Amino acid sequence: MAARLRRAEVQDTETIFRVVNESYRVEDGDTGVSFKSSPRFSELESVKEKLDHVWVALLGDEIVGTVFVSPHPTQSNKMFVGPIAVLPKHQGKGISRLLMELAESLSEVTEVGVVSCRTDVITLYLRRGYVQIDEKPLEEVFTEEEMKNVTRSSLTFKFLEKVN
């Protein structure tokens, strides 16, 4: 069964919240690709306030993945992508690829941001044609509240972009 994509709807909010948090559990801890001690989203409101910029991937009637695609704050020809998430049991089926293709089709340029220890994800973006355009200490990108949950020091936030 092929995945289909559609814009998120209000009734999808709790499912999107769950999909993102389940998918990002790999980041919980303090070694390897892990760097934090809290879920990606701690409140449903975090999803609700961005719902206009969210797409979902479905297998049948089940939401199995999601991508957030938001206008870049300073460049009108660029969209910021993230988070992108696929339920662990559905990873490896091309759903992330479909979500990225959708996100990349929405603007001339797409930008993603990745914590430096997420070498698994950075490699995937580089293979898709993204190039690093900036890198900042995590403290300069994360809020003070988000930094309270970071379990490692000396991490950076890498900004990558792709001309579509």
Side-chain angles (χ1 to χ4, degrees):
M1 175 184 328
R4 64 184 173 88
L5 305 176
R6 68 163 168 80
R7 282 195 172 275
E9 300 168 355
V10 174
Q11 63 268 23
D12 301 329
T13 303
E14 287 185 32
T15 303
I16 293 166
F17 180 85
R18 181 182 54 79
V19 167
V20 170
N21 283 341
E22 282 186 36
S23 300
Y24 277 76
R25 277 197 192 131
V26 68
E27 294 181 344
D28 296 348
D30 59 7
T31 60
V33 299
S34 304
F35 65 92
K36 61 187 180 73
S37 62
S38 65
R40 177 67 172 75
F41 287 126
S42 57
E43 299 176 6
L44 272 175
E45 195 58 38
S46 302
V47 174
K48 283 182 187 173
E49 64 191 23
K50 298 174 183 169
L51 209 54
D52 288 343
H53 305 291
V54 181
W55 293 77
V56 294
L58 298 101
L59 287 175
D61 292 333
E62 180 188 9
I63 294 174
V64 298
T66 187
V67 64
F68 291 56
V69 186
S70 307
H72 193 275
T74 61
Q75 297 178 34
S76 62
N77 69 331
K78 185 187 284 192
M79 298 292 263
F80 190 84
V81 180
I84 181 168
V86 175
L87 286 171
K89 70 180 181 180
H90 292 289
Q91 292 174 4
K93 297 179 181 179
I95 297 167
S96 289
R97 179 183 47 77
L98 285 174
L99 289 165
M100 283 304 298
E101 287 171 357
L102 168 72
E104 292 165 357
S105 75
L106 298 175
S107 69
E108 294 175 36
V109 181
T110 46
E111 182 177 315
V112 296
V114 185
V115 176
S116 57
C117 66
R118 289 300 313 267
T119 53
D120 55 332
V121 177
I122 293 168
T123 300
L124 294 173
Y125 287 126
L126 294 175
R127 274 196 232 138
R128 286 195 66 81
Y130 284 78
V131 293
Q132 184 174 321
I133 57 167
D134 199 2
E135 184 170 15
K136 295 181 178 180
L138 210 53
E139 304 80 37
E140 291 181 21
V141 180
F142 278 27
T143 65
E144 191 174 320
E145 193 63 31
E146 289 170 323
M147 284 305 297
K148 290 178 184 176
N149 297 309
V150 172
T151 58
R152 296 168 63 181
S153 60
S154 304
L155 294 174
T156 61
F157 195 80
K158 296 177 182 263
F159 296 87
L160 299 98
E161 80 172 15
K162 178 182 178 185
V163 177
N164 301 311

